[in-house]
Amino acid sequence: MGEDALDKLRQAGQIARKAREEACRLIKEAALVIEICEAVEETIRLEGAKPAFPCNIGINEVAAHYTSPPGDQLRIPPRSVVKVDVGVSLDGYIADTAATVALAPELEQLSEAARIVLQEAVRVMRAGVPVSKIGLVIQGTVHKLGFKPIRNLTGHEIKRNKLHAGTTIPNVGGACPGKLEPGHIYAIEPFITTMRGAGEVVSAKLATIFRIESEKITSRKLREGEKRLAQYIIEKFDNLPYATRWIDNYERIKDVHEKMVKLGRIQQYPVLVERLGEPVAQAEHTVIVFEDRCEVIT
Ligand code: MN
Ligand code: MN
């Protein structure tokens, strides 16, 4: 990796960290979720970067993929555990980071455990380490702390302009191919739940985050309205995941959008919830791996 790329990555990491910390300060009982999402995304834009995906706010059993839809009235409930997941793209160099805020003392151990588990996983990262070893460290640490990992959510490699690329980083032990490579970038993101939880997430009916792949859309026969919407989305969001509240006058094209989602022309990311409804905590950092060490950029 060249110095320029390293520099950009570190900048993206700093912006992501700043946005994450801001979100954590804003997460308070009765706060409007849409105001937190918008504040975080505005911070990223003011720093000269783009959100790599809409700001995710996951409350209690919601593990991932919730962002406010247009006009969202959802408020942070009392005594909840709240995750914020932030992505920053700076000239295509991406940083991805998450943290959990507990609004009740009995949930603090859960959120603190996610933070400790992430720290322990990062500690073993350097070139040549099998990714299965990271899964083992995560699972072992989670169990030692008295919680359960979410086995069907994983960390991932990050490449330029590609948030999920190449190698998967498991959150549990067991067979998983691949080794950490020098100069590569990885997002490590343990998700954990209580011992009563299923330790897995399932898709809810609701989806609030979407994406169009330009290659897929150009090869399809679309109606005039669909074509216009697809072009608008591709121009504005550049193949990145987006929220419908980012679309100007969403109400006007809502029907077309919903139809394109239904037909699979627009990809949706359903909200992911713990299968038994137990609370979930998450912590995530983006890490650059070197021969004999690693560097957390977020
Ligand atoms: Mn993330
Ligand atoms: Mn991630």
Side-chain angles (χ1 to χ4, degrees):
M1 199 180 344
E3 274 307 310
D4 191 50
L6 258 177
D7 207 53
K8 283 267 163 62
L9 264 170
R10 286 175 177 141
Q11 272 183 57
Q14 265 173 29
I15 297 167
R17 177 195 192 119
K18 185 176 169 182
R20 182 194 70 219
E21 286 172 348
E22 184 186 15
C24 289
R25 280 193 299 274
L26 294 172
I27 293 170
K28 297 226 163 72
E29 177 180 339
L32 273 170
V33 170
I34 194 169
E35 286 181 1
I36 302 170
C37 291
E38 286 178 347
V40 164
E41 292 159 3
E42 183 64 10
T43 295
I44 294 168
R45 293 190 180 107
L46 284 173
E47 294 283 339
K50 278 194 290 201
F53 50 82
C55 172
N56 283 217
I57 303 280
I59 297 169
N60 295 334
E61 75 279 11
V62 175
H65 296 173
Y66 183 88
T67 196
S68 282
D72 193 10
Q73 293 298 306
L74 180 65
R75 290 178 187 273
I76 303 289
R79 311 193 77 74
S80 52
V81 64
V82 185
K83 295 147 295 286
V84 56
D85 195 335
V86 170
V88 166
S89 173
L90 186 67
D91 293 342
Y93 295 98
I94 297 173
D96 184 6
T97 184
T100 300
V101 177
L103 296 176
E106 68 270 19
L107 291 162
E108 259 160 34
Q109 275 190 2
L110 180 71
S111 67
E112 181 62 10
R115 212 182 53 79
I116 294 168
V117 169
L118 174 60
Q119 211 170 34
E120 292 301 306
V122 166
R123 200 195 288 274
V124 300
M125 290 178 72
R126 59 185 159 71
V129 171
V131 299
S132 59
K133 158 119 189 232
I134 297 173
L136 208 60
V137 167
I138 290 174
Q139 182 170 37
T141 313
V142 175
H143 282 160
K144 204 174 66 191
L145 294 168
F147 295 100
K148 203 180 252 190
I150 302 281
R151 59 181 168 270
N152 61 344
L153 289 174
T154 64
H156 49 95
E157 192 173 345
I158 299 176
K159 291 191 174 146
R160 193 165 179 200
N161 286 311
K162 207 150 196 238
L163 178 63
H164 294 103
T167 307
T168 292
I169 316 288
N171 285 326
V172 289
C176 189
K179 284 180 175 165
L180 301 181
E181 302 278 350
H184 287 219
I185 299 132
Y186 303 89
I188 308 300
E189 49 181 318
F191 286 80
I192 67 174
T193 187
T194 69
M195 287 306 281
R196 289 182 301 277
E200 65 178 23
V201 292
V202 291
S203 295
K205 283 210 185 83
L206 178 68
T208 59
I209 298 172
F210 303 91
R211 181 169 174 249
I212 288 190
E213 278 175 75
S214 48
E215 313 94 68
K216 280 198 186 154
I217 214 81
T218 45
S219 63
R220 290 190 202 250
K221 277 217 163 76
L222 299 177
R223 288 163 185 270
E224 204 42 52
E226 295 177 338
K227 203 183 283 175
R228 250 184 291 129
L229 179 58
Q231 276 166 353
Y232 169 89
I233 289 171
I234 288 164
E235 252 169 55
K236 194 154 177 170
F237 309 129
D238 194 20
N239 290 314
L240 293 170
Y242 62 89
T244 47
R245 66 187 152 75
W246 292 356
I247 297 175
D248 297 323
N249 301 313
Y250 174 66
E251 282 305 316
R252 222 164 31 102
I253 53 83
K254 188 172 180 217
D255 292 346
V256 181
H257 191 272
E258 281 176 356
K259 192 173 159 218
M260 289 179 77
V261 171
K262 202 174 274 174
L263 292 171
R265 290 173 179 159
I266 292 175
Q267 185 192 347
Q268 58 179 336
Y269 298 87
V271 171
L272 299 174
V273 298
E274 211 289 320
R275 184 165 62 79
L276 296 175
E278 283 296 301
V280 175
Q282 171 202 18
E284 180 178 24
H285 275 313
T286 297
V287 180
I288 309 173
V289 164
F290 297 103
E291 283 296 344
D292 52 354
R293 64 185 180 94
C294 71
E295 177 183 332
V296 174
I297 61 163
T298 46

